[in-house]
Amino acid sequence: MRRAALVAILFGVGLTASAQVAPALALFPVVVKFIGMIFHRTPSTPSGQPTVTETPGLTLEITDASVHAAKQSCANWTWAAAVETMVAPEGVPVTQDDLVTRAEGGSVCKDQSPNFERMTHALDGNFYLEDGHKVHLETRNVTGAPTVIDDILMSMKTQHPLILFWKGRAYLLKGVVYSEFLISSNGAKVFEIDELKLVDPIASKPEEREVSFVRDRDDANEINGVMDVRVVPEDSQSWLHPETEYGKNHRSPAERPQPGLAPPPRTIN
């Protein structure tokens, strides 16, 4: 089985600088490369050459991460369960049944997740919360093995889960184990991911829920892609200023003016 490395190169910046990237740009390249081979280092450094300092075994993990159980033990329900998990804290009214029906044209069971085009079509759009506020669901996808390692690290650092598609099934990505390499000549940092910690929505037993993709054991070619799902307020400033037109038209149901009663029917003698 061919081994592959997941590597990110950040020239002169670390995770703090990555935090300046807007959430909508998550999973899109900044200064990152995916290298389809093991990162080789010579055992000794010739005189006058830059040194590489390795810090292995670094971990970023979302505290107490869990995923909603898939309502059907089918691969195409795993992504719906993962999405439902990600948007539920924001109060977005979407269910697994809704998502599968939108993506597949019906409540069907398949051994592969839908393609990214179908999933994006099912997800992207506006939704009204119970309090009347309007939000926008926005997805970002990367096909194949992860290409933006710094954004993955930042998502874990900010406790924001992602969805990893592996062998046709979706898993909630809840943590990473990685190594950092610091190049002395210019301060460049290289992040090499060694393990992706996942939660399986259709594991039959609770103790089988947590699984891992290990770089030196598993095949990166079997990773189908990564998805990020963001809940974006339609007009966050207007939420703070209800005197705006948005605030007038998007009050909670209890605050909205009720239409007047229809006049009683006329009696014709």
Side-chain angles (χ1 to χ4, degrees):
M1 179 180 296
R2 185 177 67 80
R3 302 197 306 172
L6 307 180
V7 180
I9 302 179
L10 302 179
F11 292 96
V13 297
L15 286 175
T16 302
S18 296
Q20 299 174 0
V21 180
L25 297 180
L27 297 181
F28 284 92
V30 184
V31 283
V32 184
K33 295 180 181 179
F34 175 74
I35 301 178
M37 61 185 69
I38 295 299
F39 179 75
H40 293 285
R41 301 178 304 281
T42 56
S44 61
T45 303
S47 177
Q49 296 298 315
T51 59
V52 178
T53 303
E54 177 183 359
T55 305
L58 299 174
T59 301
L60 286 171
E61 190 167 355
I62 298 175
T63 307
D64 300 325
S66 62
V67 67
H68 292 185
K71 290 190 175 181
Q72 293 191 35
S73 297
C74 313
N76 64 318
W77 284 74
T78 55
W79 77 276
V83 170
E84 186 182 57
T85 302
M86 294 174 70
V87 303
E90 306 292 339
V92 181
V94 295
T95 66
Q96 295 180 40
D97 303 84
D98 295 332
L99 294 171
V100 172
T101 298
R102 290 177 188 173
E104 305 282 13
S107 183
V108 297
C109 178
K110 295 183 178 180
D111 59 2
Q112 290 284 326
S113 294
N115 59 38
F116 280 123
E117 182 180 0
R118 286 178 175 269
M119 288 186 289
T120 299
H121 181 73
L123 281 172
D124 285 1
N126 297 322
F127 295 85
Y128 282 97
L129 308 183
E130 288 187 0
D131 63 2
H133 286 140
K134 186 180 181 182
V135 297
H136 182 76
L137 278 190
E138 188 173 80
T139 60
R140 291 291 184 269
N141 309 313
V142 168
T143 302
T147 57
V148 185
I149 308 307
D150 62 324
D151 284 338
I152 290 178
L153 296 179
M154 182 53 60
S155 289
M156 298 301 100
K157 187 175 182 180
T158 57
Q159 304 289 287
H160 177 72
L162 301 172
I163 303 174
L164 181 87
F165 294 85
W166 181 19
K167 298 180 182 179
R169 285 170 53 178
Y171 299 82
L172 195 75
L173 176 57
K174 71 159 193 170
V176 294
V177 179
Y178 66 101
S179 299
E180 178 185 283
F181 302 92
L182 177 63
I183 302 174
S184 63
S185 60
N186 56 9
K189 288 184 179 181
V190 178
F191 299 117
E192 181 179 81
I193 288 185
D194 301 308
E195 179 183 353
L196 299 169
K197 296 188 175 184
L198 312 168
V199 189
D200 185 357
I202 57 175
S204 58
K205 300 178 181 178
E207 60 270 20
E208 297 175 350
R209 276 289 173 93
E210 297 189 3
V211 297
S212 288
F213 177 94
V214 179
R215 176 176 56 83
D216 289 339
R217 181 193 66 195
D218 300 306
D219 187 359
N221 290 320
E222 294 178 331
I223 295 179
N224 309 111
V226 180
M227 173 180 283
D228 186 15
V229 181
R230 298 279 175 166
V231 180
V232 183
E234 181 69 9
D235 187 347
S236 57
Q237 286 188 329
S238 294
W239 290 21
L240 301 176
H241 302 283
E243 70 277 5
T244 64
E245 196 63 30
Y246 179 94
K248 295 176 183 177
N249 296 328
H250 294 82
R251 301 171 186 171
S252 68
E255 297 173 330
R256 292 174 186 167
Q258 300 299 316
L261 297 177
R266 296 175 59 187
T267 303
I268 300 177
N269 296 324

